[in-house]
Amino acid sequence: MARHIVIIGNGITGITAARFIRKLSDDRVTVVSSETDHFYARTALMYIYMGHMRYQETKPYEDHFWSRNRINLVRGYATQIDPGQKVVRIADGNDIAYDALLLATGSQSNKFGWPGQDLLGVQGLYGMQDLTLMERNTRNIAHAVVVGGGLIGIEMAEMLHARQIPVTFLVRENSYMDYLLPKEESALINREIAEHGIDLRLNTELKSIRGRKTAEAVETSQNERIECQFVGLTAGVHPNIDLAKASGIDTNRGIVVNEFFETSLPDIYAAGDCAEFNADGIGSRRIEQLWYTGRAHGKVVAKTLCGHRTPYQKGVFFNSAKFFTMEYQTYGDVPAQSEPHIRSRLFQSGRKLLRINSDRESGRVLGFNAMGVRLRQDQCEAWIRSGTSIKNVLASLGKARFDAEFYSNAVYRQAAAV
Amino acid sequence: MEHQASLQLTSSGADYSAHQKIGLAFIGVGLLALLITFLGEGALNPTVTLALSLAGLLTGSGILFARMLHQPAGVNNNGVWFSGATARGMAGWILGIVFTGFYILLYWTPSNLEQLIRGTDALSYAIRGSAADQWFLYGLFYTLAVLVMGIRMLIKYRDNRYQILRTISVMFFQLGLAFLIPNLMVLLNQPEFYFSYFWPLKYDYLWPSTFSSLTQGPGLGIFLLFWTAVMTVIATPVLTYFFGKRWYCSWVCGCGGLAETAGDPFRHLSDKSARAWKIERWMVHSVLVFVIVTTLMLWGNQWMGGGLLGGMSQEFSRWYGFFIGLIFAGVIGVGFYPVMGSRVWCRFGCPMAAVLGLLQKYFSRFRITTNGGQCISCGNCSTYCEMGIDVRWYAQRGQNIVRASCVGCGMCATVCPRGVLRLENGPLEARYNGPVLIHHDDMSVQLDETWKQSRPLMPPVQEDLPILTDDDL
Ligand SMILES: Cc1cc2nc3c(=O)[nH]c(=O)nc-3n(C[C@H](O)[C@H](O)[C@H](O)COP(=O)(O)OP(=O)(O)OC[C@H]3O[C@@H](n4cnc5c(N)ncnc54)[C@H](O)[C@@H]3O)c2cc1C
Ligand code: SF4
Ligand code: SF4
């Protein structure tokens, strides 16, 4: 008999799981979410604000896709789970009975208890409601401050800049994202930020936000006061564990799961941003908060949910981003600080940069960073996985190019000359 | 403190609008002069007012474009969905009505354009030795639009060499092969011939009437026939095999040239729905059938000395010329830019695109490859695909894009913020790579296959629209 699989959260994790469950089984699938009626790309939030796209363009599937594929969508907020009765309580008073339940509740913006963090005009950026709020909060303002030098922070700075709102960008570190990026990469981004006319304040933290009802100014750790009518708090995100906690499921920073995404309660699973792998889990990163990892989790947990218990295994790490106009891709292991066993080769030509790391002793290639150039993921991954020697990689680097036709080959020429 | 904030505003905000205002003022003057020419009834010298108009429009555009140079190079579609002109707002509809109205006057009552036409006489005498007619006026406006908006493209995409070369190419072909050479040929007493258009887009180039006029007409006629035949029968399939339909649609063709330059601000207005795709396939192939049938009938009739179906073939060809050649390609094709995007004709109507599309789909090395699992499903690629291809559908599951309608403009790859897409020519094997697994080491293809066998798969939903059968296992 067809079971009923209920998924909380219609982000990339929940939706990927729903799609694969539909493909693998005839079970009933219901996706509950309080944010939007349909799945949209959270990664595209910035483009809506900048006017590149509207909400409807950010939806990866047409609205009729869901009913055609018999994926039932429910708009509502899940307040509690009753694991004994196997039902989920929805805020509107309805109960949804499940045979198996997947929590894919995502993340929430961090707030660190700054004085004034609850004033009007102060907000984070995570979901559609935040975007609506930001639209309202930034109307006719003269100056904005963005706090926190991560990926969402720089996106927010770019968003405001696109609306011609002058931005001061407070970054705790010595150089933008130097905790993740080697110094040359980080320097390129500092330059990119400055070229766009953003007032970048490095080594600067937020001390407090001033204002009576709405934000009027921020005070920084450098004891400066910056007048502003909007403060964007983008100092990272944390897993959204509200529902799990309220329902007696084991949580730590995230919802604790094993490599099968099983939580501490039977028939309840958690995946994506909200999940935290337990100690005997996998790899060093216990919480994975990326679009790509959400998609991978969703796909694997779907198999388990359909009765084919499949462990999650991490592959060669990859990620990408765009900092204003600067594209960035990374494959494998490229730490910010050079480590003794790593030999790092850097090829740079103006705003184009290519870094290739290899093992100092064996010469095996370990990782790639590309800025302003595009690399082919399959190729980089194959080289890393098979431990190809750096010599061979440099000799056949052309195979990994993914740039548009006629694109400058300056960095590849440098690499080939080694 | 207030003061400090407003100072900052001056350096980026207010400055922008002042600059913009000057540019718009020049454009306003240009439009006014155009209106005066149009309505002038000869009270003012139309050559002078038209020249003034063009000077105003060109200067204004130049000022606005110069502003773009001050911004860092890179994709910038800021505010595209906020501006009325580019988001089907009031300004967009007005533009659409003006464009459509111009085509209607041009085709049906050119006498209304008399003053504008007289305004171009001087130029017409200079390059083709005779007075202007409405087609000269049209050709001039068309070419200017491609050139001016081409310069805008060159500035907007100045950090992307593919876009630069492609834009220079369409500007060159429009100015040289679709404007200067045909007019110079008239000057030299040759047939007015367009080297960059072939059957079935230029449908009458393979019609018996053109054959007889070229073979009996002066000079180069035989060579021109030879050119048409070679381009249609040999060059088209060969070039499409190696490069895809882009060699023509986004590098050479004049309709494509206008779409890629003047149409660039409207490219995102194309309909991306599966429904629109279905309509497109029906429509464009119907037009192709229509033109083939018409051409065959005309030859049959010619061969039988007028015996085939009496005057039917003439009637057929007149209808084709009217509905497809005039209304579809012109009035709707260009007039509706601000409403339906820049490639309405190319997508739904052009029989040349249909032929190139069939070749591209089944017999070409061209494809757009995707970069593993890097897609974040943001939707920029689909949004800015002027052909209404839902590029993201393929990209997010790591599948190559092999679509008949893709004109290879490269814009999806240009706007993609994650470097996911690449236009490539490569071997035919594995061109249709199917939805590949995207970076999940835990699931080898083999595991997936055995899994499929051990549990029944859901029957695919709604096979008629491939875009809806989600089978990326
Ligand atoms: C602005 C921004 C840009 C980003 N850009 C990138 C990028 O470029 N690359 C990248 O790899 N990652 C990026 N990320 C991170 C990425 O978007 C997330 O990792 C990913 O969306 C997580 O997916 P998820 O499905 O696990 O959770 P989410 O997408 O957060 O989905 C969870 C959903 O569940 C809903 N929900 C939560 N609790 C309940 C409840 N109790 N009842 C009902 N509904 C509930 C939430 O409202 C939400 O809609 C970005 C994130 C943001 C905010
Ligand atoms: S798929 Fe890409 S290259 Fe093809 S027409 Fe669309 S935007 Fe242009
Ligand atoms: S291919 Fe690029 S532009 Fe298209 S959805 Fe994916 S990331 Fe966005």
Side-chain angles (χ1 to χ4, degrees):
Chain A
M1 211 196 74
R3 300 179 310 149
H4 188 203
I5 301 176
V6 177
I7 299 169
I8 310 296
N10 70 350
I12 180 69
T13 310
I15 287 300
T16 307
R19 284 173 42 241
F20 279 90
I21 293 166
R22 173 48 64 249
K23 263 181 285 202
L24 297 169
S25 80
D26 202 7
D27 292 338
R28 282 166 58 214
V29 182
T30 298
V31 184
V32 181
S33 191
S34 53
E35 188 181 354
T36 49
D37 287 340
H38 297 102
F39 169 51
Y40 77 100
R42 188 173 305 295
T43 48
L45 273 175
M46 64 182 297
Y47 300 112
I48 302 179
Y49 184 85
M50 291 162 72
H52 294 206
M53 284 186 271
R54 297 168 302 174
Y55 165 61
Q56 52 262 53
E57 276 83 29
T58 67
K59 291 192 277 191
Y61 302 90
E62 288 185 57
D63 291 350
H64 53 76
F65 175 86
W66 309 106
S67 53
R68 273 174 191 254
N69 287 295
R70 296 184 298 112
I71 293 172
N72 184 26
L73 304 179
V74 173
R75 178 86 182 265
Y77 185 77
T79 52
Q80 220 196 348
I81 303 157
D82 181 339
Q85 301 280 321
K86 287 198 154 185
V87 292
V88 187
R89 304 251 131 79
I90 307 298
D92 65 9
N94 282 324
D95 284 356
I96 300 178
Y98 65 83
D99 294 301
L101 180 70
L102 171 63
L103 305 178
T105 50
S107 301
Q108 290 170 328
S109 303
N110 287 336
K111 279 189 173 183
F112 290 117
W114 291 293
Q117 68 179 15
D118 295 320
L119 288 169
L120 293 176
V122 182
Q123 67 164 104
L125 176 65
Y126 189 78
M128 199 50 84
Q129 280 74 16
D130 296 326
L131 193 72
T132 315
L133 188 64
M134 184 168 168
E135 189 68 53
R136 215 173 326 129
N137 281 339
T138 55
R139 196 149 286 163
N140 299 320
I141 64 168
H143 200 87
V145 171
V146 175
V147 181
L151 289 166
I152 301 181
I154 198 168
E155 283 189 4
M156 212 184 209
E158 183 176 354
M159 291 158 75
L160 293 159
H161 176 71
R163 295 275 191 101
Q164 286 136 36
I165 298 167
V167 185
T168 300
F169 187 20
L170 307 187
V171 172
R172 186 178 57 186
E173 289 74 26
N174 280 320
S175 176
Y176 177 78
M177 273 211 352
D178 64 2
Y179 52 93
L180 270 183
L181 296 171
K183 114 171 163 288
E184 290 83 359
E185 281 87 328
S186 173
L188 266 184
I189 303 171
N190 290 340
R191 210 176 93 189
E192 183 77 12
I193 296 171
E195 270 175 18
H196 281 80
I198 307 293
D199 174 20
L200 173 65
R201 309 275 178 100
L202 296 168
N203 292 310
T204 307
E205 289 183 61
L206 175 68
K207 239 169 63 184
S208 65
I209 306 166
R210 296 287 151 155
R212 235 153 301 159
K213 258 182 80 186
T214 61
E216 292 165 18
V218 299
E219 283 173 354
T220 71
S221 57
Q222 310 279 3
N223 289 323
E224 271 175 304
R225 185 183 156 94
I226 302 164
E227 301 294 316
C228 60
Q229 300 74 40
F230 175 84
V231 183
L233 298 179
T234 57
V237 296
H238 61 271
N240 178 354
I241 57 173
D242 296 350
L243 175 63
K245 236 176 159 173
S247 314
I249 298 168
D250 274 3
T251 56
N252 184 32
R253 278 169 57 219
I255 305 170
V256 180
V257 297
N258 61 12
E259 72 264 49
F260 298 100
F261 299 102
E262 291 160 340
T263 68
S264 60
L265 294 181
D267 296 321
I268 303 182
Y269 302 77
D273 273 29
C274 67
E276 175 175 349
F277 293 109
N278 60 13
D280 31 52
I282 30 158
S284 53
R285 237 177 266 107
R286 291 215 188 157
I287 304 183
E288 298 186 305
Q289 291 165 308
L290 290 178
W291 184 263
Y292 310 118
T293 49
R295 195 174 58 200
H297 290 190
K299 189 165 178 177
V300 178
V301 75
K303 298 192 163 207
T304 301
L305 283 165
C306 293
H308 185 86
R309 208 158 165 260
T310 309
Y312 175 66
Q313 282 159 11
K314 293 185 188 185
V316 175
F317 180 76
F318 72 98
N319 198 5
S320 61
K322 192 171 181 184
F323 309 98
F324 288 92
T325 60
M326 176 70 73
E327 286 178 23
Y328 161 70
Q329 295 179 334
T330 185
Y331 301 104
D333 190 15
V334 190
Q337 305 293 329
S338 190
E339 288 164 20
H341 75 282
I342 294 178
R343 165 124 198 241
S344 195
R345 288 179 173 78
L346 182 74
F347 310 103
Q348 198 172 353
S349 158
R351 293 156 41 85
K352 298 175 184 65
L353 176 153
L354 185 62
R355 178 188 298 277
I356 310 180
N357 283 359
S358 54
D359 186 84
R360 200 171 281 284
E361 240 155 60
S362 64
R364 293 157 74 101
V365 72
L366 298 171
F368 300 79
N369 263 1
M371 301 196 74
V373 290
R374 296 173 171 181
L375 293 180
R376 205 180 282 272
Q377 179 178 5
D378 292 348
Q379 188 59 65
C380 294
E381 214 177 280
W383 279 332
I384 294 169
R385 206 192 296 267
S386 65
T388 308
S389 79
I390 179 77
K391 235 174 65 201
N392 291 345
V393 168
L394 289 174
S396 51
L397 201 55
K399 281 204 237 164
R401 278 193 76 174
F402 203 72
D403 300 309
E405 293 153 298
F406 309 113
Y407 198 79
S408 156
N409 61 0
V411 288
Y412 304 97
R413 272 211 315 270
Q414 280 182 26
V418 172
Chain B
M1 300 290 183
E2 269 298 305
H3 183 64
Q4 200 185 11
S6 61
L7 261 185
Q8 296 233 18
L9 185 67
T10 333
S11 63
S12 67
D15 177 42
Y16 174 73
S17 47
H19 189 108
Q20 204 179 27
K21 275 179 202 155
I22 300 175
L24 288 174
F26 272 98
I27 291 191
V29 169
L31 289 176
L32 197 65
L34 194 67
L35 198 67
I36 292 171
T37 321
F38 175 57
L39 301 169
E41 302 280 336
L44 291 164
N45 182 337
T47 312
V48 175
T49 50
L50 189 63
L52 188 71
S53 163
L54 293 180
L57 292 173
L58 295 179
T59 316
S61 312
I63 291 172
L64 292 182
F65 298 167
R67 169 74 208 178
M68 294 164 74
L69 272 174
H70 282 290
Q71 292 160 345
V75 175
N76 180 346
N77 286 316
N78 293 345
V80 161
W81 283 105
F82 300 147
S83 155
T86 53
R88 292 192 204 103
M90 176 97 96
W93 283 96
I94 293 177
L95 268 179
I97 290 169
V98 169
F99 291 165
T100 311
F102 175 72
Y103 273 93
I104 291 175
L105 295 183
L106 184 74
Y107 289 153
W108 285 283
T109 59
S111 58
N112 285 315
L113 299 172
E114 184 59 22
Q115 293 305 313
L116 287 174
I117 295 168
R118 295 288 70 80
T120 58
D121 268 344
L123 191 65
S124 184
Y125 274 110
I127 55 181
R128 56 179 216 159
S130 60
D133 55 13
Q134 79 262 38
W135 304 121
F136 183 79
L137 173 78
Y138 178 49
L140 178 67
F141 279 12
Y142 198 106
T143 306
L144 282 174
V146 170
L147 295 181
V148 172
M149 293 300 278
I151 291 170
R152 176 184 167 280
M153 283 292 282
L154 294 175
I155 296 172
K156 184 170 177 190
Y157 298 103
R158 63 189 177 280
D159 66 340
N160 186 311
R161 240 180 256 170
Y162 183 74
Q163 297 299 346
I164 292 176
L165 291 174
R166 192 171 70 78
T167 304
I168 292 175
S169 173
V170 291
M171 290 164 79
F172 166 81
F173 280 104
Q174 177 57 36
L175 178 64
L177 274 69
F179 185 68
L180 291 179
I181 291 182
N183 281 316
L184 288 173
M185 297 212 14
V186 174
L187 181 70
L188 300 174
N189 242 337
Q190 297 289 339
E192 180 179 330
F193 192 82
Y194 294 82
F195 285 92
S196 53
Y197 287 104
F198 326 112
W199 186 92
L201 173 55
K202 194 92 178 112
Y203 44 90
D204 54 349
Y205 275 16
L206 280 191
W207 284 1
S209 50
T210 309
F211 265 63
S212 43
S213 76
L214 284 183
T215 41
Q216 286 148 30
L220 286 170
I222 299 292
F223 168 72
L224 299 179
L225 276 183
F226 177 72
W227 174 262
T228 296
V230 167
M231 288 313 291
T232 307
V233 182
I234 299 171
T236 296
V238 169
L239 287 169
T240 308
Y241 173 75
F242 283 108
F243 305 112
K245 83 200 264 190
R246 58 182 169 157
W247 77 267
Y248 190 68
C249 296
S250 63
W251 285 74
V252 172
C253 176
C255 304
L258 191 72
E260 294 295 344
T261 52
D264 179 66
F266 309 109
R267 57 187 324 128
H268 54 285
L269 298 174
S270 58
D271 188 339
K272 316 301 189 298
S273 67
R275 204 180 109 248
W277 183 21
K278 197 173 178 183
I279 296 173
E280 161 197 317
R281 281 173 292 168
W282 273 102
M283 227 153 148
V284 77
H285 295 117
S286 304
V287 174
L288 178 60
V289 170
F290 191 3
V291 74
I292 291 174
V293 168
T294 308
T295 306
L296 290 177
M297 276 172 67
L298 286 169
W299 281 104
N301 195 42
Q302 168 98 352
W303 186 62
M304 295 171 64
L308 182 77
L309 308 170
M312 262 277 279
S313 57
Q314 296 303 329
E315 204 56 25
F316 231 69
S317 64
R318 242 200 312 281
W319 282 105
Y320 184 89
F322 180 72
F323 279 112
I324 308 296
L326 292 190
I327 297 192
F328 207 155
V331 181
I332 297 176
V334 180
F336 287 16
Y337 269 18
V339 180
M340 294 178 70
S342 50
R343 289 272 193 178
V344 176
W345 159 249
C346 311
R347 184 180 173 193
F348 296 98
C350 176
M352 180 84 182
V355 171
L356 291 166
L358 290 171
L359 289 168
Q360 167 158 291
K361 184 135 179 129
Y362 299 107
F363 195 62
S364 168
R365 292 163 57 84
F366 174 73
R367 89 291 307 272
I368 301 175
T369 50
T370 52
N371 201 2
Q374 287 281 25
C375 175
I376 53 170
S377 299
C378 69
N380 275 297
C381 51
S382 298
T383 305
Y384 289 92
C385 175
E386 56 194 350
M387 296 306 284
I389 298 171
D390 191 358
V391 184
R392 165 173 56 191
W393 175 269
Y394 305 88
Q396 66 192 357
R397 52 195 212 157
Q399 188 177 3
N400 288 353
I401 296 125
V402 182
R403 279 281 291 266
S405 64
C406 171
V407 291
C409 65
M411 206 51 78
C412 50
T414 303
V415 298
C416 172
R418 294 294 180 274
V420 177
L421 303 163
R422 185 171 198 256
L423 279 64
E424 288 185 83
N425 310 310
L428 294 184
E429 307 89 67
R431 193 166 79 109
Y432 286 95
N433 67 338
V436 294
L437 281 177
I438 26 180
H439 191 77
H440 308 305
D441 307 307
D442 57 312
M443 291 177 282
S444 67
V445 175
Q446 221 154 22
L447 180 72
D448 281 328
E449 293 306 322
T450 51
W451 175 227
K452 268 188 198 170
Q453 286 152 15
S454 66
R455 273 185 87 108
L457 264 180
M458 281 302 297
V461 190
Q462 297 283 339
E463 272 290 18
D464 61 321
L465 295 177
I467 197 161
L468 289 170
T469 63
D470 186 15
D471 54 359
D472 52 340
L473 250 182

